PDB file of all heavy atoms in Angstrom:
ATOM      1  N   SER A 984     -14.372 -43.286  51.709  1.00 97.00           N
ATOM      2  CA  SER A 984     -14.975 -44.176  52.672  1.00 97.00           C
ATOM      3  C   SER A 984     -15.752 -45.395  52.021  1.00 97.00           C
ATOM      4  O   SER A 984     -16.529 -45.186  51.065  1.00 97.00           O
ATOM      5  CB  SER A 984     -15.951 -43.346  53.594  1.00 97.00           C
ATOM      6  OG  SER A 984     -17.130 -44.125  53.820  1.00 97.00           O
ATOM      7  N   ASP A 985     -15.482 -46.571  52.552  1.00 97.00           N
ATOM      8  CA  ASP A 985     -16.203 -47.801  51.980  1.00 97.00           C
ATOM      9  C   ASP A 985     -17.712 -47.635  52.153  1.00 97.00           C
ATOM     10  O   ASP A 985     -18.437 -47.896  51.183  1.00 97.00           O
ATOM     11  CB  ASP A 985     -15.731 -49.009  52.742  1.00 97.00           C
ATOM     12  CG  ASP A 985     -14.193 -49.303  52.372  1.00 97.00           C
ATOM     13  OD1 ASP A 985     -13.759 -48.872  51.346  1.00 97.00           O
ATOM     14  OD2 ASP A 985     -13.644 -50.166  53.063  1.00 97.00           O
ATOM     15  N   LEU A 986     -18.172 -47.179  53.295  1.00 98.00           N
ATOM     16  CA  LEU A 986     -19.557 -46.968  53.484  1.00 98.00           C
ATOM     17  C   LEU A 986     -20.157 -45.936  52.537  1.00 98.00           C
ATOM     18  O   LEU A 986     -21.276 -46.051  51.998  1.00 98.00           O
ATOM     19  CB  LEU A 986     -19.813 -46.600  54.942  1.00 98.00           C
ATOM     20  CG  LEU A 986     -20.088 -47.701  55.967  1.00 98.00           C
ATOM     21  CD1 LEU A 986     -18.896 -48.706  55.812  1.00 98.00           C
ATOM     22  CD2 LEU A 986     -20.190 -47.241  57.386  1.00 98.00           C
ATOM     23  N   ARG A1007      -9.449 -36.010  51.484  1.00 96.00           N
ATOM     24  CA  ARG A1007      -8.045 -35.472  51.581  1.00 96.00           C
ATOM     25  C   ARG A1007      -7.198 -35.828  50.382  1.00 96.00           C
ATOM     26  O   ARG A1007      -6.409 -35.149  49.970  1.00 96.00           O
ATOM     27  CB  ARG A1007      -7.487 -36.102  52.852  1.00 96.00           C
ATOM     28  CG  ARG A1007      -7.978 -35.376  54.012  1.00 96.00           C
ATOM     29  CD  ARG A1007      -7.150 -35.751  55.209  1.00 96.00           C
ATOM     30  NE  ARG A1007      -7.327 -37.189  55.561  1.00 96.00           N
ATOM     31  CZ  ARG A1007      -7.054 -37.618  56.809  1.00 96.00           C
ATOM     32  NH1 ARG A1007      -6.544 -36.812  57.698  1.00 96.00           N
ATOM     33  NH2 ARG A1007      -7.365 -38.874  57.144  1.00 96.00           N
ATOM     34  N   ASP A1033     -10.721 -31.422  53.653  1.00 98.00           N
ATOM     35  CA  ASP A1033     -10.044 -31.961  54.829  1.00 98.00           C
ATOM     36  C   ASP A1033     -10.816 -31.546  55.997  1.00 98.00           C
ATOM     37  O   ASP A1033     -10.937 -30.343  56.346  1.00 98.00           O
ATOM     38  CB  ASP A1033      -8.600 -31.468  54.938  1.00 98.00           C
ATOM     39  CG  ASP A1033      -7.861 -32.157  56.116  1.00 98.00           C
ATOM     40  OD1 ASP A1033      -8.515 -32.730  56.938  1.00 98.00           O
ATOM     41  OD2 ASP A1033      -6.645 -31.968  56.265  1.00 98.00           O
ATOM     42  N   ALA A1034     -11.377 -32.460  56.768  1.00 98.00           N
ATOM     43  CA  ALA A1034     -12.212 -32.148  57.885  1.00 98.00           C
ATOM     44  C   ALA A1034     -11.374 -31.341  58.946  1.00 98.00           C
ATOM     45  O   ALA A1034     -12.013 -30.603  59.747  1.00 98.00           O
ATOM     46  CB  ALA A1034     -12.828 -33.363  58.504  1.00 98.00           C
ATOM     47  N   ALA A1060     -19.359 -39.037  55.724  1.00 98.00           N
ATOM     48  CA  ALA A1060     -18.963 -40.345  55.856  1.00 98.00           C
ATOM     49  C   ALA A1060     -17.456 -40.412  56.335  1.00 98.00           C
ATOM     50  O   ALA A1060     -16.867 -41.428  56.447  1.00 98.00           O
ATOM     51  CB  ALA A1060     -18.997 -41.145  54.546  1.00 98.00           C
ATOM     52  N   PHE A1061     -16.860 -39.194  56.520  1.00 98.00           N
ATOM     53  CA  PHE A1061     -15.461 -39.249  56.974  1.00 98.00           C
ATOM     54  C   PHE A1061     -15.416 -39.648  58.455  1.00 98.00           C
ATOM     55  O   PHE A1061     -16.416 -39.398  59.190  1.00 98.00           O
ATOM     56  CB  PHE A1061     -14.743 -37.900  56.769  1.00 98.00           C
ATOM     57  CG  PHE A1061     -15.349 -36.705  57.447  1.00 98.00           C
ATOM     58  CD1 PHE A1061     -15.038 -36.425  58.704  1.00 98.00           C
ATOM     59  CD2 PHE A1061     -16.233 -35.849  56.708  1.00 98.00           C
ATOM     60  CE1 PHE A1061     -15.594 -35.340  59.281  1.00 98.00           C
ATOM     61  CE2 PHE A1061     -16.748 -34.778  57.336  1.00 98.00           C
ATOM     62  CZ  PHE A1061     -16.498 -34.532  58.665  1.00 98.00           C
ATOM     63  N   TYR A1125     -13.136 -42.696  70.549  1.00 97.00           N
ATOM     64  CA  TYR A1125     -13.943 -42.674  69.297  1.00 97.00           C
ATOM     65  C   TYR A1125     -15.419 -42.549  69.724  1.00 97.00           C
ATOM     66  O   TYR A1125     -16.140 -41.741  69.132  1.00 97.00           O
ATOM     67  CB  TYR A1125     -13.697 -44.018  68.585  1.00 97.00           C
ATOM     68  CG  TYR A1125     -14.556 -44.250  67.391  1.00 97.00           C
ATOM     69  CD1 TYR A1125     -14.347 -43.602  66.199  1.00 97.00           C
ATOM     70  CD2 TYR A1125     -15.665 -45.157  67.418  1.00 97.00           C
ATOM     71  CE1 TYR A1125     -15.111 -43.877  65.028  1.00 97.00           C
ATOM     72  CE2 TYR A1125     -16.450 -45.365  66.342  1.00 97.00           C
ATOM     73  CZ  TYR A1125     -16.163 -44.738  65.126  1.00 97.00           C
ATOM     74  OH  TYR A1125     -16.925 -45.019  64.034  1.00 97.00           O
ATOM     75  N   LYS A1129     -18.286 -39.673  68.544  1.00 98.00           N
ATOM     76  CA  LYS A1129     -19.535 -40.003  67.878  1.00 98.00           C
ATOM     77  C   LYS A1129     -20.775 -39.570  68.743  1.00 98.00           C
ATOM     78  O   LYS A1129     -21.757 -39.124  68.064  1.00 98.00           O
ATOM     79  CB  LYS A1129     -19.674 -41.507  67.522  1.00 98.00           C
ATOM     80  CG  LYS A1129     -18.659 -41.979  66.454  1.00 98.00           C
ATOM     81  CD  LYS A1129     -19.040 -41.333  65.124  1.00 98.00           C
ATOM     82  CE  LYS A1129     -18.153 -41.885  63.971  1.00 98.00           C
ATOM     83  NZ  LYS A1129     -18.349 -41.242  62.630  1.00 98.00           N
ATOM     84  N   GLY A1156     -23.359 -50.773  63.488  1.00 95.00           N
ATOM     85  CA  GLY A1156     -22.503 -51.496  64.470  1.00 95.00           C
ATOM     86  C   GLY A1156     -21.155 -51.734  63.784  1.00 95.00           C
ATOM     87  O   GLY A1156     -20.656 -50.827  63.089  1.00 95.00           O
ATOM     88  N   VAL A1158     -18.893 -52.759  60.948  1.00 97.00           N
ATOM     89  CA  VAL A1158     -18.988 -52.966  59.549  1.00 97.00           C
ATOM     90  C   VAL A1158     -17.619 -53.348  58.921  1.00 97.00           C
ATOM     91  O   VAL A1158     -16.701 -52.763  59.283  1.00 97.00           O
ATOM     92  CB  VAL A1158     -19.468 -51.673  58.798  1.00 97.00           C
ATOM     93  CG1 VAL A1158     -19.803 -51.902  57.312  1.00 97.00           C
ATOM     94  CG2 VAL A1158     -20.681 -51.027  59.502  1.00 97.00           C
ATOM     95  N   SER A1160     -14.857 -52.866  56.813  1.00 95.00           N
ATOM     96  CA  SER A1160     -14.448 -51.810  55.923  1.00 95.00           C
ATOM     97  C   SER A1160     -12.988 -51.550  56.180  1.00 95.00           C
ATOM     98  O   SER A1160     -12.429 -52.171  57.082  1.00 95.00           O
ATOM     99  CB  SER A1160     -15.299 -50.557  56.163  1.00 95.00           C
ATOM    100  OG  SER A1160     -14.783 -49.905  57.351  1.00 95.00           O
TER     101      SER A1160
HETATM  102  N1  NAP C2598     -16.710 -49.375  59.720  1.00 58.65           N
HETATM  103  C1  NAP C2598     -17.464 -49.484  60.840  1.00 58.65           C
HETATM  104  O1  NAP C2598     -17.522 -50.512  61.537  1.00 58.65           O
HETATM  105  C2  NAP C2598     -18.224 -48.286  61.220  1.00 58.65           C
HETATM  106  C3  NAP C2598     -19.150 -48.409  62.276  1.00 58.65           C
HETATM  107  C4  NAP C2598     -19.855 -47.338  62.616  1.00 58.65           C
HETATM  108  C5  NAP C2598     -19.692 -46.123  62.035  1.00 58.65           C
HETATM  109  N2  NAP C2598     -18.743 -46.011  61.166  1.00 58.65           N
HETATM  110  C6  NAP C2598     -18.513 -44.628  60.537  1.00 58.65           C
HETATM  111  O2  NAP C2598     -18.809 -44.656  59.179  1.00 58.65           O
HETATM  112  C7  NAP C2598     -17.997 -43.703  58.506  1.00 58.65           C
HETATM  113  C8  NAP C2598     -17.368 -44.333  57.363  1.00 58.65           C
HETATM  114  O3  NAP C2598     -16.500 -45.392  57.779  1.00 58.65           O
HETATM  115  P1  NAP C2598     -15.906 -46.479  56.789  1.00 58.65           P
HETATM  116  O4  NAP C2598     -16.110 -47.777  57.469  1.00 58.65           O
HETATM  117  O5  NAP C2598     -16.346 -46.356  55.517  1.00 58.65           O
HETATM  118  O6  NAP C2598     -14.300 -46.209  56.984  1.00 58.65           O
HETATM  119  P2  NAP C2598     -13.245 -45.810  55.917  1.00 58.65           P
HETATM  120  O7  NAP C2598     -13.438 -46.605  54.653  1.00 58.65           O
HETATM  121  O8  NAP C2598     -11.967 -45.850  56.661  1.00 58.65           O
HETATM  122  O9  NAP C2598     -13.535 -44.316  55.465  1.00 58.65           O
HETATM  123  C9  NAP C2598     -13.286 -43.241  56.287  1.00 58.65           C
HETATM  124  C10 NAP C2598     -13.000 -42.152  55.426  1.00 58.65           C
HETATM  125  O10 NAP C2598     -12.775 -40.881  56.201  1.00 58.65           O
HETATM  126  C11 NAP C2598     -11.706 -40.161  55.610  1.00 58.65           C
HETATM  127  N3  NAP C2598     -11.172 -39.215  56.469  1.00 58.65           N
HETATM  128  C12 NAP C2598     -10.571 -39.425  57.636  1.00 58.65           C
HETATM  129  N4  NAP C2598     -10.057 -38.299  58.146  1.00 58.65           N
HETATM  130  C13 NAP C2598     -10.434 -37.281  57.304  1.00 58.65           C
HETATM  131  C14 NAP C2598     -10.259 -35.937  57.288  1.00 58.65           C
HETATM  132  N5  NAP C2598      -9.699 -35.264  58.285  1.00 58.65           N
HETATM  133  N6  NAP C2598     -10.819 -35.203  56.228  1.00 58.65           N
HETATM  134  C15 NAP C2598     -11.424 -35.811  55.209  1.00 58.65           C
HETATM  135  N7  NAP C2598     -11.647 -37.173  55.276  1.00 58.65           N
HETATM  136  C16 NAP C2598     -11.153 -37.913  56.272  1.00 58.65           C
HETATM  137  C17 NAP C2598     -10.786 -41.167  55.141  1.00 58.65           C
HETATM  138  O11 NAP C2598     -10.015 -40.619  54.169  1.00 58.65           O
HETATM  139  P3  NAP C2598      -8.310 -40.784  54.214  1.00 58.65           P
HETATM  140  O12 NAP C2598      -8.071 -41.867  53.199  1.00 58.65           O
HETATM  141  O13 NAP C2598      -7.907 -39.455  53.666  1.00 58.65           O
HETATM  142  O14 NAP C2598      -7.955 -41.058  55.625  1.00 58.65           O
HETATM  143  C18 NAP C2598     -11.697 -42.352  54.694  1.00 58.65           C
HETATM  144  O15 NAP C2598     -11.941 -42.166  53.228  1.00 58.65           O
HETATM  145  C19 NAP C2598     -17.085 -43.144  59.596  1.00 58.65           C
HETATM  146  O16 NAP C2598     -17.572 -41.958  60.116  1.00 58.65           O
HETATM  147  C20 NAP C2598     -17.136 -44.191  60.608  1.00 58.65           C
HETATM  148  O17 NAP C2598     -16.767 -43.643  61.867  1.00 58.65           O
HETATM  149  C21 NAP C2598     -18.023 -47.030  60.677  1.00 58.65           C
END
Side-chain angles (χ1 to χ4, degrees):
Chain A
S984 139
D985 289 343
L986 273 51
R1007 284 191 288 200
D1033 183 352
F1061 61 81
Y1125 173 78
K1129 289 294 187 185
V1158 189
S1160 76

